[in-house]
């Protein structure tokens, strides 16, 4: 429960900041060009608190809203977004009554197309620039620490598909024809998926492996075990008091050699074996069946020299925990730290953010496949991306990533999103004729329908994963 609350708080803080600044982008340009902003809300109505005119004072009951001047600010109860209601435009509020009246000089529809365009892209612009700024400040504050792939001297673990292409366990990856690998991340998978050759070191000798250039990236990431993972020895780091492992007198430095008859030489296989047991647990129909699946045989080498080997039987906890702390990748490989001065951090942050955006856009093609649709995640999936402990470094990295996503998703040419309004404005600037009000209303309904459908699918996927059906 504590982990859930920590993640929930991080998610709410991040999304509140991003929505507030996104709508603030629209608000800024609207005010700049003299357009009346009727409402400015964080989250959705009905509101739990609202005020008029100023963020710093609550108006008296006698005070009335002055058309063209007074903005109603508020905080809604449903933390799914926010909105900035701008007078004289068709948006999600569907305020068609206002559109039937004579246009006023303070309305959106009376302003030049270029001003309306800036108002509509204001939110996206703020989110994108915010992401670059956060990345810059993260690099300035913490630097960029990572383990270079070439420094993973024990190499990688590969699944059967990778081995069919010619890889072997403990191969050290160097790079592809696109360039050397930097760190183990999604970029490495992307490079391997489109590469025609990859340079490796095997048994101390440089080699080249040919690849087809069109490996399915989604399958590489979703397969169990994954296509490639860093090799991390199955050496115990710590023992949880009162756990099944403590009853076996296991200790820091012991190595797990086998589990349920499957040879283990890294934490990769250990996780795979328990993952298969978890899959079988979903089909257990009685407590006796569940208990039988939790009964496990492990073979352990005692101490760092591994001379003494013991075979022991143990019953895992109901959530399939042995009660051991796994050693981290940082225990075995040298870390590289890049530090940045204040001015250096800005171009570095911009490059980092643009690389994140390019990778995200490149991966979108998989959304339009059956497996891609299943991989969509809603609020639960997004919340789970935050760390289980409060870590400001990871919090800001995740906030920047979400800001990048929010910027890109909003600029898509879908009615009801900023990108849909931008598309219609560009059409007007080219043809000199604005789409009809009837067309805009129907387009808005279609856009809202598409967004609602995507939201339902994404959050339904979260529920199905939680129930164990995906």
């Amino acid at each position: 429960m504590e982990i859930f609350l920590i993640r929930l708080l991080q998610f709410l803080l991040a999304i509140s900041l991003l929505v507030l600044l996104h709508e603030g982008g629209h608000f800024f340009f609207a005010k700049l060009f003299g357009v009346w902003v009727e409402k400015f809300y964080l989250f959705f109505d009905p509101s739990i608190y609202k005020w008029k005119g100023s963020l710093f004072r609550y108006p008296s009951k006698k005070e009335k809203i002055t058309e063209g001047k007074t903005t109603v600010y508020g905080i809604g109860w449903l933390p799914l977004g926010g909105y900035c209601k701008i007078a004289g435009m068709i948006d999600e509020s569907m305020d068609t009554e206002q559109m039937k009246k004579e246009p006023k000089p303070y309305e959106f529809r009376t302003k030049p197309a270029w001003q309306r365009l800036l108002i509509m892209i204001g939110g996206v612009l703020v989110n994108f620039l915010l992401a670059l700024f956060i990345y810059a400040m993260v690099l300035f504050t913490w630097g960029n620490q990572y383990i270079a792939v070439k420094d993973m001297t024990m190499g990688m673990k590969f699944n059967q598909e990778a081995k069919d292409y010619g890889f072997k366990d403990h191969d050290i990856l160097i790079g592809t024809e696109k360039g050397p690998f930097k760190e183990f991340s999604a970029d490495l998978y992307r490079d391997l998926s489109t590469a025609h050759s990859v340079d490796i070191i095997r048994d101390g000798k440089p080699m080249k492996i040919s690849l087809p250039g069109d490996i399915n990236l989604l399958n590489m990431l979703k397969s169990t075990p994954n296509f490639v993972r860093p090799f991390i020895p199955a050496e115990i780091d710590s023992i949880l008091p009162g756990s099944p492992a403590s009853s076996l007198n296991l200790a820091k430095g012991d190595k797990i050699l086998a589990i349920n008859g499957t040879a283990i030489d890294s934490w990769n296989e250990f996780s795979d074996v328990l993952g298969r047991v978890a899959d079988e647990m979903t089909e257990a129909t009685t407590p006796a069946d569940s208990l039988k699946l939790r009964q496990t045989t492990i073979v352990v080498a005692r101490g760092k020299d591994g001379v003494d080997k013991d075979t022991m039987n143990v019953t895992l906890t109901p959530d399939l925990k042995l009660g051991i702390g796994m050693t981290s990748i940082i225990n075995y490989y040298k870390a590289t730290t890049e530090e940045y001065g204040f001015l250096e951090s800005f171009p570095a942050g911009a490059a980092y953010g643009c690389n994140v955006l390019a990778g995200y856009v490149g991966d979108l093609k998989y959304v339009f496949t059956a497996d891609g649709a299943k991989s969509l995640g809603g609020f639960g999936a997004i919340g789970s991306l935050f760390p289980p402990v409060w870590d400001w470094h990871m919090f800001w990295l995740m906030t920047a990533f979400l800001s990048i996503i929010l910027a890109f998703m909003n600029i898509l040419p879908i009615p009801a999103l900023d990108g849909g309004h931008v598309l219609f404005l560009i059409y007007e600037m080219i043809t000199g004729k604005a789409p009809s009000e009837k067309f805009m209303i129907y387009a808005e309904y279609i856009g809202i329908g598409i967004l609602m459908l995507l939201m339902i699918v994404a959050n339904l996927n979260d529920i199905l994963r939680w129930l164990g059906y995906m």
Side-chain angles (χ1 to χ4, degrees):
M1 186 64 179
E2 181 182 356
I3 290 175
F4 170 78
L5 289 176
I6 290 174
R7 282 179 164 153
L8 177 63
L9 287 173
Q10 291 181 88
F11 170 72
L12 289 177
L13 178 59
I15 206 69
S16 299
L17 175 66
L18 297 181
V19 169
L20 185 65
L21 292 177
H22 176 91
E23 300 302 334
H26 298 306
F27 183 91
F28 170 79
F29 282 106
K31 289 291 188 178
L32 181 65
F33 299 129
V35 176
W36 179 31
V37 178
E38 296 182 43
K39 292 184 179 181
F40 185 88
Y41 264 65
L42 175 64
F43 305 151
F44 292 143
D45 275 342
S47 63
I48 56 177
Y49 178 65
K50 63 182 179 181
W51 56 96
K52 294 181 292 184
S54 170
L55 289 171
F56 305 107
R57 65 182 177 86
Y58 190 78
S60 66
K61 292 182 179 180
K62 295 180 179 179
E63 186 174 2
K64 296 181 180 180
I65 295 175
T66 302
E67 185 176 298
K69 295 181 179 180
T70 309
T71 299
V72 176
Y73 301 89
I75 301 175
W77 66 274
L78 191 61
L80 300 181
Y83 64 93
C84 178
K85 187 178 185 306
I86 297 172
M89 69 172 290
I90 298 294
D91 60 8
E92 60 270 25
S93 68
M94 293 298 178
D95 186 3
T96 57
E97 291 302 315
Q98 186 183 67
M99 302 298 289
K100 295 176 182 178
K101 300 176 182 177
E102 284 295 318
K104 305 290 177 58
Y106 51 74
E107 289 185 347
F108 178 84
R109 54 181 165 167
T110 63
K111 300 299 178 181
W114 68 271
Q115 290 185 5
R116 285 180 279 146
L117 181 63
L118 285 175
I119 292 171
M120 293 317 306
I121 67 172
V124 168
L125 183 63
V126 166
N127 278 133
F128 182 67
L129 293 179
L130 174 67
L132 301 188
F133 177 75
I134 292 175
Y135 282 132
M137 291 301 96
V138 166
L139 292 176
F140 172 65
T141 305
W142 288 282
N144 184 24
Q145 186 178 69
Y146 61 95
I147 297 173
V149 175
K150 63 181 179 59
D151 291 333
M152 296 180 185
T153 52
M154 287 185 279
M156 300 285 174
K157 292 290 293 186
F158 298 90
N159 69 5
Q160 189 55 52
E161 181 189 6
K163 291 176 180 177
D164 291 342
Y165 286 120
F167 292 104
K168 289 186 177 180
D169 288 341
H170 301 289
D171 285 348
I172 300 173
L173 299 177
I174 302 300
T176 67
E177 69 270 19
K178 299 179 180 180
F181 296 124
K182 182 178 179 180
E183 58 185 311
F184 187 82
S185 66
D187 286 341
L188 182 142
Y189 276 89
R190 293 185 187 106
D191 285 351
L192 286 175
S193 70
T194 57
H196 291 90
S197 66
V198 57
D199 294 312
I200 66 168
I201 294 177
R202 179 179 296 168
D203 299 326
K205 298 178 181 178
M207 290 185 61
K208 190 181 291 287
I209 294 176
S210 296
L211 295 176
D214 59 353
I215 304 176
N216 187 288
L217 176 61
L218 193 61
N219 288 343
M220 292 173 73
L221 292 167
K222 291 186 64 178
S223 59
T224 304
N226 293 142
F227 188 89
V228 56
R229 293 165 295 173
F231 180 87
I232 305 175
E235 183 177 336
I236 296 173
D237 181 68
S238 59
I239 302 295
L240 184 67
S243 66
S246 67
S247 67
L248 302 175
N249 295 319
L250 295 180
K252 179 181 176 69
D254 292 349
K255 291 183 179 179
I256 297 178
L257 302 180
I259 181 168
N260 288 344
T262 300
I264 299 291
D265 69 349
S266 73
W267 289 123
N268 310 62
E269 286 98 344
F270 182 85
S271 298
D272 293 340
V273 172
L274 291 188
R276 288 194 290 272
V277 175
D279 291 339
E280 294 174 11
M281 286 274 283
T282 61
E283 300 178 3
T285 56
T286 66
D289 292 336
S290 175
L291 181 62
K292 185 177 180 181
L293 287 168
R294 288 161 48 203
Q295 293 172 350
T296 303
T297 301
I298 64 172
V299 180
V300 177
R302 300 283 187 175
K304 290 189 177 293
D305 55 10
V307 174
D308 298 326
K309 296 179 175 64
D310 291 334
T311 300
M312 297 162 287
N313 296 315
V314 65
T315 301
L316 302 177
T317 63
D319 57 351
L320 300 180
K321 301 297 183 185
L322 183 57
I324 57 176
M326 302 179 182
T327 46
S328 168
I329 189 171
I330 201 71
N331 295 118
Y332 302 100
Y333 306 119
K334 178 186 70 175
T336 299
T337 301
E338 298 173 341
E339 296 183 351
Y340 297 87
F342 183 73
L343 295 179
E344 292 175 313
S345 68
F346 287 97
Y352 192 106
C354 289
N355 183 61
V356 170
L357 176 61
Y360 179 76
V361 173
D363 296 344
L364 274 183
K365 61 175 179 268
Y366 295 102
V367 173
F368 302 101
T369 65
D371 286 338
K374 292 179 182 178
S375 69
L376 286 174
F379 298 111
I382 296 172
S384 67
L385 294 175
F386 288 93
V389 295
W390 199 283
D391 182 333
W392 282 111
H393 182 207
M394 289 303 300
F395 169 80
W396 287 117
L397 284 175
M398 275 307 307
T399 301
F401 178 63
L402 292 178
S403 194
I404 286 272
I405 293 176
L406 187 60
F408 178 77
M409 295 302 292
N410 265 283
I411 204 62
L412 292 176
I414 299 174
L417 290 179
D418 296 341
H421 292 286
V422 168
L423 179 66
F424 299 140
L425 276 170
I426 291 175
Y427 168 81
E428 179 184 343
M429 293 170 75
I430 293 174
T431 64
K433 183 179 179 181
S436 68
E437 181 183 319
K438 184 177 180 180
F439 172 84
M440 292 293 289
I441 292 172
Y442 280 119
E444 198 77 14
Y445 278 125
I446 292 171
I448 291 174
I450 292 172
L451 295 179
M452 291 298 295
L453 178 61
L454 286 174
M455 187 177 294
I456 291 170
V457 170
N459 286 284
L460 181 61
N461 284 349
D462 284 351
I463 295 172
L464 291 175
R465 290 189 194 99
W466 182 66
L467 294 175
Y469 290 106
M470 287 182 65

